[in-house]
Amino acid sequence: MTHGSRPSAFVAMWPDSFSALFDESRLARLRTLCRVADPVTSGDLDDPALADRLASVEVLITSWGTPTLTAERLDRMPNLKAVFHCAGTVRPMVSEAFWDRGILVTSAAEANAIPVAEFTFASIVLAGKRAQYFARDPRAHRREWRSLLDSPRMSNFQRSVGVVGFSRIGRRVVALLQQLDGADVLVADPYADAAAVAAAGARLVSLDELLPSVDVLSLHAPALPETINMIGERELGMLRDGATVINTARGTLLDTDALAVECSSGRLDAILDVTDPEPLPLDSPLFDLPNVSITPHIAGSLGTETFRLADAALDELERFLDGRSPLSAVTFDDLGVSA
């Protein structure tokens, strides 16, 4: 497709997603690249009133709230050639029928990796000083600060950090960890290339070798059937006393009950931005443990960070119109090893 042809585009997502992703300048850019009739957006691809609108659509802009593109919904869009996703994983959106039709789909996962990696790195640095623990109830520690600080555990110098999953986010975390003086960064990932990991400043090892060697364990693997509870009772038991477990990936990677046992004993700390289930039930013991920090899935793109996702999708759209290869296309095979 040439840039001058200006295909018909439709934005399929929740209204609040559209408001978060597209300010006036980004909507204007979309209108420059494509023909965008009214209504510009809807999250209901089954709406009978959209029949004529969808029949002409060649480009779909998607994000949070896009319904699964089933055969029936795709039949309403016979001219659809490409989908540009303004978010991370496309897994909930695509169907077998989608792949059968050979439609291009791209993801903004690389752009979304930026804030997650930043949040993770910040969490690792703060964990080195147990900042989350002290900030939780500063009154409880006000008379014993000096004695609490007299510990070799309180340090970010020559610490060992384990990264499970050399993913988009895992790679960025490894890169950010190079700022820590004397850090020993280990990576466990059965699909990673040892040379690529070494070039990034880390060492590729098995998970069993990594676990007893690290002060901080940071999870960045995808949510797949084979990764459910990949860090369970056995794996947590292999960690050093005083280690911190950080999960900014998917809650299902971590056995919640086993983690609660280890943290209740005081042997491990945990920093959880995702949980299983999410949110945790009100009676979860993790809520009341002083050495557990829980945030409501905030590591990913929020606020003005979401503009990066729209920009990434629009960049891919522009490449498509110019006849250039996409930078972040997603294939059926990709979903077997990534989020």
Side-chain angles (χ1 to χ4, degrees), residues 129-199:
K129 298 298 184 76
R130 299 197 79 200
Q132 296 92 338
Y133 169 75
F134 290 119
R136 177 144 186 172
D137 188 0
R139 289 180 181 273
H141 309 298
R142 68 191 188 281
R143 298 188 185 280
E144 53 183 1
W145 274 2
R146 296 317 307 170
S147 61
L148 287 170
L149 303 184
D150 186 20
S151 167
R153 182 178 179 179
M154 307 281 289
S155 175
N156 280 306
F157 177 54
Q158 295 183 335
R159 303 298 269 177
S160 180
V161 181
V163 174
V164 177
F166 199 54
S167 57
R168 292 182 183 89
I169 298 168
R171 290 170 186 264
R172 289 182 177 274
V173 171
V174 168
L176 290 169
L177 287 169
Q178 304 311 303
Q179 300 173 73
L180 294 184
D181 192 9
D184 182 25
V185 184
L186 307 181
V187 169
D189 187 327
Y191 300 101
D193 176 70
V197 172

Side-chain angles (χ1 to χ4, degrees), residues 2-69:
T2 60
H3 195 106
S5 62
R6 295 187 68 229
S8 171
F10 185 73
V11 181
M13 60 184 69
W14 287 325
D16 56 348
S17 298
F18 178 70
S19 298
L21 290 159
F22 286 90
D23 59 0
E24 289 185 8
S25 66
R26 287 165 178 83
L27 181 56
R29 184 184 176 195
L30 175 61
R31 291 186 184 279
T32 298
L33 295 171
C34 298
R35 290 179 288 113
V36 185
D38 291 324
V40 174
T41 183
S42 173
D44 183 6
L45 293 179
D46 301 320
D47 184 352
L50 292 175
D52 291 341
R53 181 85 173 81
L54 295 178
S56 65
V57 164
E58 298 165 85
V59 167
L60 207 59
I61 309 296
T62 60
S63 187
W64 306 296
T66 302
T68 303
L69 299 177

Side-chain angles (χ1 to χ4, degrees), residues 212-253:
S213 305
V214 299
D215 302 298
V216 178
L217 177 69
S218 190
L219 305 182
H220 302 287
L224 303 171
E226 57 268 32
T227 62
I228 293 175
N229 286 350
M230 67 180 298
I231 305 298
E233 180 180 359
R234 170 185 171 274
E235 290 75 21
L236 292 170
M238 295 174 68
L239 290 167
R240 296 172 177 173
D241 290 355
T244 299
V245 178
I246 299 177
N247 193 2
T248 56
R250 291 288 182 255
T252 54
L253 302 179

